[in-house]
Amino acid sequence: MEILRAYKTKLTELLYVDPVPILQLAQSKKIITDREYNKIKCISDSEKQVIELLDKIMGKSSNVCQDFLKILKDVQDTYPQLVELFSEIEEIPSAPPSLSIEARPETQDEEHSVYQMRSRPRGYCVIINNKDFEKARLNFKTHKDRKGTDFDAEYLTKVFKWLHFEVVQCNDQTAEEIHSTMERYRKQDHSSRDCFVCCILSHGLKGAIEGTDGSSVSIREITSYFTGLKCPTLIKKPKVFFIQACQGTKTQKSVRVQADWEGHDTEAELEPEDADPNTIPNDSDFLLGMATLEDYLSFRNVFKGSFYIQALCKNLELLCPRNDDILSILTTVNREVSEENMMRAKQMPEPRYTLTKKLLFPTS
């Protein structure tokens, strides 16, 4: 990152004559997203294209910056002026950032600072995908079906299979069935697995998610199934939960976007007295990725899926091969979701965690 910052002006002078090949390489190597690529391509001034590209890359992780420098080193034949530039740079890290953590010699420090992630499969990834809320409507509630949620479930399945998890999808679960699912995986023997992941896509209330019957389950109850006391084979292993559900009613709904909350006008139904805002157990090695802050709505595009889950999956695909840790990835997700145009509505995700080490998901 510091090298790019120091040589930004010179790189701009060298690349602005024909930036298209560099842009295409940056896109193909997933240094920039398709969306970023298209935005930069729309800029008519080639010098401004290069400046925007460099600014985008410098706003990412140091590993991404190193990947870009590697691309520049590989195209010195096309851009001979780069030869002189690299002769001025005293040292560029030689190890490719995409090198798997498994392929590097593991030092004692790494062993104590990074969670082990070598087992095949890595662990279970349980996806609870609640779409059909007819049972809730039969109970005189006004819950709408969660159109677009299947896009989220499919993307999560694709990404976590690629990350070597055993993916299990459970559709349209009532509150009681959610409890049963958590109990079933609590009882599993996770001894030969390094991690546990659970993704819940549903309507929600403050501190709780809702089953398809309209009954709520507190997030604290869900995560507490996997404490060291209740699930000893996951002790000292990361337990990861991603929750796509509203946590209140603040923020406007927008056109063509549905909110993952279905409530009434009375405050008691929006914020039940028994809803526990403390969502993580008093235990180590938990990560809870919330789609939104407490008290606020989260949003879902009925044609594409939720903003949070789509951004999460895209950045796992982009950044896991570069060995970015999960908290760095979630920071990128926060920024992207917060910048989304939701027709005058905004959303800010929130990670909560008691992790004691860096959590990486190697792709090999």
Side-chain angles (χ1 to χ4, degrees):
M1 186 181 301
E2 294 305 319
I3 292 175
L4 287 182
R5 201 180 306 280
Y7 287 88
K8 179 182 175 182
T9 302
K10 193 157 190 176
L11 281 169
T12 303
E13 293 171 355
L14 294 177
L15 300 178
Y16 88 94
V17 178
D18 186 14
V20 174
I22 296 295
L23 277 171
Q24 292 173 340
L25 276 171
Q27 180 199 28
S28 66
K29 298 290 186 182
K30 295 188 175 180
I31 287 171
I32 57 173
T33 65
D34 292 343
R35 183 179 177 184
E36 290 169 338
Y37 171 80
N38 290 327
K39 282 186 175 181
I40 296 172
K41 279 276 287 181
C42 289
I43 299 172
S44 57
D45 187 300
S46 61
E47 183 176 358
K48 290 180 180 177
Q49 283 184 337
V50 177
I51 292 170
E52 180 66 15
L53 173 64
L54 294 175
D55 285 343
K56 285 286 183 189
I57 293 170
M58 287 189 292
K60 299 176 186 281
S61 70
S62 58
N63 283 344
V64 175
C65 295
Q66 290 176 24
D67 277 353
F68 182 67
L69 286 170
K70 187 174 184 297
I71 283 179
L72 295 182
K73 288 190 75 174
D74 292 341
V75 297
Q76 290 180 81
D77 290 340
T78 308
Y79 297 86
Q81 304 95 325
L82 289 172
V83 176
E84 181 182 347
L85 174 72
F86 282 110
S87 68
E88 295 179 19
I89 299 173
E90 293 182 356
E91 182 179 4
I92 295 177
S94 58
S98 57
L99 186 63
S100 164
I101 193 170
E102 295 173 319
R104 298 198 313 257
E106 187 177 85
T107 66
Q108 188 172 4
D109 286 344
E110 285 178 325
E111 184 179 351
H112 287 89
S113 63
V114 180
Y115 285 106
Q116 177 175 296
M117 202 64 62
R118 295 197 189 95
S119 65
R120 295 290 183 94
R122 306 291 192 215
Y124 291 106
C125 173
V126 179
I127 301 172
I128 295 177
N129 182 32
N130 284 352
K131 176 182 179 180
D132 184 350
F133 281 79
E134 182 179 0
K135 290 178 182 176
R137 293 192 290 273
L138 291 174
N139 290 332
F140 306 103
K141 299 198 175 185
T142 59
H143 294 54
K144 295 179 182 177
D145 291 342
R146 297 183 61 256
K147 296 176 182 178
T149 188
D150 290 337
F151 293 110
D152 289 344
E154 289 168 10
Y155 206 171
L156 285 166
T157 298
K158 173 190 170 186
V159 168
F160 278 99
K161 280 186 176 179
W162 171 65
L163 292 173
H164 311 296
F165 281 81
E166 180 179 338
V167 178
V168 182
Q169 184 170 324
C170 306
N171 293 323
D172 298 328
Q173 295 213 312
T174 64
E176 184 178 346
E177 288 169 338
I178 291 172
H179 279 295
S180 297
T181 298
M182 296 300 102
E183 177 66 12
R184 180 162 70 253
Y185 285 93
R186 180 193 74 80
K187 290 180 177 178
Q188 289 283 348
D189 184 358
H190 302 270
S191 300
S192 61
R193 300 172 185 236
D194 290 330
C195 186
F196 175 76
V197 175
C198 179
C199 309
I200 301 179
L201 318 171
S202 193
H203 289 307
L205 304 168
K206 181 177 179 179
I209 57 95
E210 292 185 285
T212 53
D213 58 343
S215 298
S216 64
V217 183
S218 79
I219 296 171
R220 178 65 176 263
E221 283 183 274
I222 291 170
T223 55
S224 291
Y225 276 96
F226 300 96
T227 62
L229 187 62
K230 293 182 179 178
C231 188
T233 56
L234 280 175
I235 288 177
K236 295 186 178 180
K237 298 177 182 180
K239 280 79 66 173
V240 180
F241 296 81
F242 295 112
I243 308 291
Q244 170 55 44
C246 286
Q247 290 297 289
T249 59
K250 294 182 181 178
T251 300
Q252 289 182 316
K253 298 178 184 178
S254 57
V255 177
R256 285 195 174 185
V257 173
Q258 289 186 346
D260 273 335
W261 161 79
E262 299 293 343
H264 306 278
D265 293 332
T266 59
E267 186 175 352
E269 289 180 345
L270 299 180
E271 300 182 6
E273 291 182 4
D274 58 350
D276 188 352
N278 298 314
T279 49
I280 300 183
N282 296 322
D283 203 2
S284 63
D285 310 305
F286 278 85
L287 169 64
L288 180 62
M290 300 293 296
T292 187
L293 297 167
E294 193 172 285
D295 296 322
Y296 284 85
L297 297 171
S298 62
F299 295 95
R300 170 175 31 86
N301 185 306
V302 298
F303 303 113
K304 296 180 181 179
S306 68
F307 293 96
Y308 175 66
I309 295 297
Q310 293 296 308
L312 171 67
C313 291
K314 181 193 75 173
N315 282 288
L316 287 171
E317 281 188 314
L318 180 66
L319 300 175
C320 284
R322 298 182 180 134
N323 280 340
D324 279 19
D325 69 280
I326 189 63
L327 296 182
S328 297
I329 293 173
L330 290 178
T331 300
T332 301
V333 171
N334 278 9
R335 182 177 69 250
E336 290 189 3
V337 173
S338 68
E339 291 174 351
E340 281 285 355
N341 178 13
M342 303 179 191
M343 303 297 287
R344 292 174 295 179
K346 287 291 184 180
Q347 179 178 331
M348 174 54 74
E350 180 189 16
R352 307 172 191 173
Y353 62 95
T354 58
L355 298 177
T356 58
K357 303 179 183 181
K358 283 187 177 181
L359 174 55
L360 294 85
F361 292 125
T363 57
S364 59

